[in-house]
Amino acid sequence: MSKREEQILSTLNAFKIYDLGQPYFNGMPVHPEDPPYSMVVYRYHEYTKPLFEKVAPGFSDSMELVITSMHSGTHIDAKCHMARNGMLHGNVKASEISKHTGYLRYGTEEIPIYFKRAVLFDVPASKGLDILPSRYGITAGDLENCLKFENVEFGKGDVALIRTGYSRYFTTDREKYLHDFAGITEESAKWLIDRGVSLLGIDNLAMAVPKPFNVHLMFLVDAGIHVMKSLYLEELARDKAYTSIVVVTPLKILGGTGSLIRPIALVPR
């Protein structure tokens, strides 16, 4: 084994990988106004085997058909996803860059690959709780107290991962996940933006209470900061992995308003 290969192997063994994505499945919680996620098996082995009999005897394949918006389950929002009075980030008029086949600017293909330091804000743990109360609004003071509790610092360019505890309901209680969640507020959103957050991630779908749309606009339109939602942060919290390297690789969907993602966190062993 070469020295370079030894270095690569050593680096790989130095980190534990945390999966921050939720599963995708029929009937999973999506916004009530969004199209439901649907997956069906489109080709079955028993039917495709005869198709290949002449060129590859015994061979068969199977594949699925998925119908979904890019805002189902764990996903990231593009800057064209939401507008205020028809205007996107940088005073770009949404109607001037939109086509039936996608957006000419701010599409999913413009979302960068993120490879950044991340801070987990385990807000329930900082309060001695396992999960925040229903519809609880996280304050700026909560975030500051969380950093003190975890004994970590949050710097400009860091990713913020906000844990409310409600990710446990994603696969077990659709209605509770969609309606009883806790989230950040306009105040805590401003706190994060003012401190130079590069990417926000949270373990619920709506992100904020009591005004989720206003907070979305603060990030996407005012600040031009992407947001991830429906993350799974329970394992990071269990291991008290308050800082990590987060890796996010959105799909290159030209003109899309977002992307399904499977983000990971790398934590030194």
Side-chain angles (χ1 to χ4, degrees):
M1 183 181 296
S2 68
K3 185 176 181 180
R4 182 178 180 82
E5 290 172 326
E6 289 178 351
Q7 291 174 334
I8 292 173
L9 185 59
S10 176
T11 300
L12 289 174
N13 292 333
F15 291 95
K16 180 176 180 178
I17 299 175
Y18 291 83
D19 186 348
L20 307 185
Q22 293 277 17
Y24 299 92
F25 56 94
N26 292 333
M28 72 179 188
V30 299
H31 191 280
E33 300 300 324
D34 290 356
Y37 173 91
S38 173
M39 190 198 88
V40 296
V41 177
Y42 179 74
R43 287 162 59 141
Y44 291 81
H45 286 281
E46 55 266 39
Y47 298 120
T48 61
K49 185 173 180 291
L51 298 177
F52 300 99
E53 197 62 40
K54 290 184 178 181
V55 293
F59 174 82
S60 64
D61 73 350
S62 181
M63 64 179 63
E64 65 287 300
L65 174 67
V66 176
I67 301 174
T68 183
S69 80
M70 287 295 104
H71 301 274
S72 298
T74 306
H75 68 276
I76 188 169
D77 290 348
K79 293 178 187 177
C80 60
H81 178 45
M82 292 186 178
R84 180 189 286 111
N85 298 319
M87 305 300 289
L88 303 173
H89 180 63
N91 291 318
V92 174
K93 195 172 183 179
S95 62
E96 293 181 351
I97 63 168
S98 63
K99 296 176 62 179
H100 185 65
T101 53
Y103 282 81
L104 302 178
R105 287 182 61 189
Y106 292 155
T108 307
E109 76 278 9
E110 294 186 19
I111 304 176
I113 292 175
Y114 286 93
F115 185 83
K116 286 182 172 288
R117 179 181 184 266
V119 173
L120 172 67
F121 288 84
D122 191 347
V123 183
S126 70
K127 294 176 173 293
L129 302 172
D130 184 45
I131 185 172
L132 290 175
S134 174
R135 306 298 295 176
Y136 180 82
I138 298 169
T139 67
D142 288 334
L143 297 182
E144 292 174 350
N145 290 335
C146 198
L147 292 178
K148 293 177 183 177
F149 169 78
E150 296 172 354
N151 193 29
V152 299
E153 294 183 356
F154 183 77
K156 183 177 180 180
D158 285 347
V159 175
L161 303 175
I162 311 295
R163 178 180 176 264
T164 68
Y166 281 79
S167 65
R168 72 191 63 189
Y169 298 119
F170 187 87
T171 58
T172 62
D173 193 330
R174 172 191 171 95
E175 293 305 310
K176 195 169 187 63
Y177 184 79
L178 288 176
H179 302 295
D180 291 351
F181 59 88
I184 62 174
T185 60
E186 291 172 287
E187 180 197 47
S188 51
K190 184 177 184 302
W191 187 93
L192 289 164
I193 292 168
D194 287 347
R195 279 152 185 77
V197 62
S198 61
L199 174 66
L200 173 70
I202 195 165
D203 60 359
N204 65 37
L205 177 61
M207 192 165 79
V209 293
K211 299 178 179 180
F213 294 128
N214 286 0
V215 172
H216 275 81
L217 295 177
M218 290 174 67
F219 280 90
L220 294 173
V221 177
D222 299 337
I225 298 170
H226 298 290
V227 295
M228 302 184 291
K229 289 166 286 185
S230 294
L231 297 181
Y232 182 74
L233 302 174
E234 297 305 289
E235 291 184 355
L236 277 180
R238 179 199 64 199
D239 291 350
K240 297 181 173 57
Y242 298 133
T243 60
S244 63
I245 298 171
V246 160
V247 183
V248 185
T249 56
L251 301 173
K252 284 189 175 182
I253 303 172
L254 299 182
T257 64
S259 173
L260 308 184
I261 51 173
R262 189 176 182 180
I264 62 171
L266 305 176
V267 177
R269 294 185 185 274

